[in-house]
Amino acid sequence: MSYLPVARPFQVRPLAGQGCLAVSASGDIELLSDGELQLLQHQPEALPLARQAELAARFFLGRHGPTPGTDRLLRSRIQAKRELTRHGPSLHIIVPTLQCAHSCRYCQVSRALDDTGHSLSPTQIDAASDAIFESDSPTLTVEYQGGDPLIRFDLVQRSIARIAARNRSEGRQIRSVVASTLHQLDDAMCAFFQAHDVHLSTSVDGPPALHNANRTIPGRNAYERTVEGMALARRTLGHDKVSALMTTTRLSLSQPEAIVDTYVQLGLQDIFLRPLSAYGFAKRNQAHLGYALDDFKPFYQRALARVLHWNRQGVALREVHASIILNKLLCTFDSGYVDLQSPTAAGRAVVVHNYDGHIYPSDEARMLAETGERSLRLGPIGTPLTTLRQAPAQLALTHASEAGHARDCSACAYQLFCAPNPVDALAQHGTLTHPAAQTEHCQRHLWLFDHFAAEIFRARREDGWLLDLFHQWAQPREAAMAGDAGEATEAAAEVTT
């Protein structure tokens, strides 16, 4: 059987010291030598027959004559990479209040406990709770953020109960997540959460001294109180119902191993090594807290090495950033990480019902509103979903996030896996359409894709255990919002307490 170059060309990208990464139209990846690349492009019949068959199976080569079955398979493979936005919003973030007991220096939306006018009214929380059923998605996640939503547990309780009552006739699969410091958690709340199968997500930045420096409260014991809340929740709800997120500040950069070890000590099975997001009030403190991407890279590599160390010791700990990138590179079915969707998932797969009475397309968009950038408001709470989809801000976001049309993305080897982030561009550069390659979002993810592509090919040659772990991490998880929120929501799940 003979093969020929495919009509739809593949994308290539040099990998330092390894050869050339090739990505086919289906999203399959292959490492090619310079010689193989030349033959594949111009004289594929000169390749060994087994190699031809291998490359054809990954859509790098085609066959002579009509191939309707192969064409249908290719279309379905491409569609599987963009599945998240097809059914309407599956993640609904509700922000009942902006009140919080913490005074975190990097918090995007921090407000004090005694503030007034920073919570939804009962009428608004009811409207937000009803709105989730306007989506066609059979699986819905409702995530309660803040501030700290447990400060207004009455609103959270009202919403969860209302949604549960409505769902008796709707029959959707609904997952509820509350993102909180857990400092206000008590037995009565736990009993309610247990009755409604609620998951909790909290923030753990690392060992006590680091966490307490980042997340300040008068008693300087934020870490200790969060751990107490985790223990209470685990006793009532179960160990798997509590997850955690961390944020990397400048103080974190010298402590990657200690941060990972803290997650192991707390029995957490996931760690998301996230850089500091320069949104809202956090942007004002960049001079004290911020750092360059080149500073984050060695921190991430050391922390990831520590995660892998623990896995080799038999301790299951998944690094979420790695799982997101590995899913893109190794799996047919995309796990739906919201920041890497084209067109954007913001407003299409995710909507935010904010304490200010307005709907935003993403958590980051509502953070921008805190510093006066309100151009991404889609409408007041209660606006029909059909109207939100046609809002000028939504149409502009969708247009700006088309990877195939963006100059910096159209020729990128990773375009099927990635996308411009117009909200990030607006936050950094004041426009949705700023060149993607100049944004931190693009630069960080380009580095991550390169890093893990190189690691995959190295593992194929040298380390079967690591390759097996990578495939395990790459598998899509059950949609679960907030900290351990199945990759569909890990980005949107910013615990802003």
Side-chain angles (χ1 to χ4, degrees):
M1 179 178 292
S2 60
Y3 299 93
L4 70 163
V6 292
R8 187 169 182 172
F10 51 87
Q11 303 283 357
V12 296
R13 179 174 176 81
L15 286 182
Q18 292 215 41
C20 181
L21 167 72
V23 184
S24 71
S26 62
D28 287 286
I29 64 172
E30 190 56 69
L31 183 66
L32 305 172
S33 66
D34 291 340
E36 278 189 315
L37 177 60
Q38 291 300 315
L39 290 176
L40 180 60
Q41 290 175 322
H42 305 295
Q43 196 181 0
E45 67 276 7
L47 289 164
L49 188 59
R51 186 61 164 156
Q52 291 183 49
E54 182 181 29
L55 292 170
R58 297 181 179 180
F59 296 92
F60 289 99
L61 289 172
R63 293 189 176 94
H64 292 281
T67 55
T70 301
D71 294 343
R72 285 196 300 271
L73 177 59
L74 177 58
R75 287 194 297 270
S76 68
R77 290 285 303 277
I78 295 172
Q79 187 179 62
K81 294 291 187 183
R82 303 300 191 197
E83 185 72 18
L84 179 65
T85 61
R86 292 183 61 202
H87 299 294
S90 57
L91 170 60
H92 294 257
I93 297 174
I94 298 178
V95 184
T97 184
L98 207 60
Q99 292 179 298
C100 182
H102 281 54
S103 300
C104 304
R105 293 186 296 167
Y106 57 74
C107 182
Q108 293 90 346
V109 293
S110 178
R111 291 281 180 181
L113 275 173
D114 57 357
D115 280 350
T116 58
H118 295 102
S119 299
L120 291 175
S121 69
T123 300
Q124 289 171 326
I125 199 94
D126 288 350
S129 303
D130 293 341
I132 74 166
F133 293 102
E134 294 182 35
S135 172
D136 295 330
S137 179
T139 301
L140 300 168
T141 294
V142 186
E143 180 181 321
Y144 299 89
Q145 290 196 29
D148 193 329
L150 291 188
I151 291 174
R152 290 303 307 269
F153 176 67
D154 58 320
L155 295 177
V156 174
Q157 185 178 35
R158 181 186 182 103
S159 175
I160 292 174
R162 186 179 183 90
I163 290 169
R166 171 79 176 268
N167 199 46
R168 294 190 187 102
S169 59
E170 291 279 350
R172 310 287 187 96
Q173 182 178 343
I174 294 180
R175 182 183 179 96
S176 299
V177 180
V178 176
S180 166
T181 64
L182 304 183
H183 291 196
Q184 282 73 37
L185 189 69
D186 59 28
D187 290 330
M189 293 178 187
C190 285
F192 177 82
F193 292 150
Q194 182 182 43
H196 290 273
D197 196 29
V198 174
H199 291 244
L200 299 177
S201 175
T202 192
S203 297
V204 176
D205 282 352
L210 174 61
H211 183 97
N212 290 337
N214 283 343
R215 301 177 181 270
T216 55
I217 60 174
R220 297 184 180 182
N221 60 344
Y223 176 90
E224 291 76 9
R225 292 185 61 184
T226 292
V227 170
E228 289 174 5
M230 291 174 65
L232 172 60
R234 284 170 165 173
R235 286 195 299 271
T236 306
L237 307 179
H239 196 279
D240 63 335
K241 293 296 180 66
V242 184
S243 60
L245 285 170
M246 61 82 63
T247 297
T248 306
T249 64
R250 190 180 296 175
L251 291 173
S252 311
L253 296 177
S254 62
Q255 305 181 56
E257 292 83 8
I259 292 169
V260 172
D261 290 353
T262 299
Y263 272 66
V264 172
Q265 292 161 9
L266 292 175
L268 293 160
Q269 294 188 328
D270 295 88
I271 182 170
F272 196 170
L273 298 167
R274 306 181 307 160
L276 183 68
S277 297
Y279 287 98
F281 297 127
K283 190 172 184 178
R284 300 177 182 175
N285 290 322
Q286 284 295 295
H288 303 290
L289 303 173
Y291 44 84
L293 177 59
D294 284 343
D295 297 318
F296 178 74
K297 290 177 182 179
F299 163 82
Y300 179 83
Q301 290 174 311
R302 285 175 56 188
L304 178 63
R306 190 64 173 176
V307 171
L308 296 178
H309 160 80
W310 282 112
N311 277 274
R312 290 186 187 276
Q313 305 304 311
V315 178
L317 180 65
R318 183 186 68 138
E319 202 290 299
V320 175
H321 243 142
S323 72
I324 291 165
I325 303 301
L326 292 168
N327 169 261
K328 298 280 186 177
L329 294 173
L330 294 175
C331 285
T332 298
F333 295 99
D334 191 277
S335 61
Y337 179 62
V338 296
D339 278 6
L340 297 179
Q341 299 297 316
S342 178
T344 182
R348 295 164 55 85
V350 182
V351 291
V352 180
H353 308 265
N354 200 29
Y355 79 96
D356 63 2
H358 291 273
I359 297 173
Y360 295 86
S362 70
D363 205 30
E364 292 80 7
R366 68 111 173 180
M367 294 173 193
L368 285 178
E370 293 301 319
T371 52
E373 176 53 77
R374 300 183 177 91
S375 62
L376 297 181
R377 278 181 175 172
L378 301 181
I381 289 177
T383 302
L385 180 59
T386 52
T387 303
L388 297 177
R389 285 171 170 165
Q390 297 303 313
Q394 184 60 61
L395 296 177
L397 280 172
T398 300
H399 175 74
S401 64
E402 291 281 2
H405 299 156
R407 182 183 61 190
D408 293 328
C409 302
S410 59
C412 178
Y414 301 120
Q415 66 166 283
L416 190 60
F417 311 137
C418 197
N421 186 333
V423 180
D424 189 57
L426 179 63
Q428 287 187 40
H429 304 286
T431 174
L432 297 174
T433 56
H434 192 82
Q438 297 178 22
T439 66
E440 191 275 343
H441 170 85
C442 174
Q443 294 162 6
R444 171 163 45 95
H445 285 99
L446 191 63
W447 172 71
L448 285 167
F449 277 118
D450 281 349
H451 176 78
F452 282 104
E455 285 296 293
I456 288 168
F457 296 128
R458 185 186 66 79
R460 285 179 179 176
R461 296 189 307 269
E462 305 171 4
D463 194 339
W465 176 89
L466 182 61
L467 186 61
D468 288 343
L469 182 69
F470 280 175
H471 278 281
Q472 177 185 334
W473 282 3
Q475 296 305 309
R477 290 193 170 190
E478 176 188 0
M481 300 305 164
D484 177 27
E487 283 71 82
T489 60
E490 311 244 30
E494 293 273 350
V495 181
T496 55
T497 49

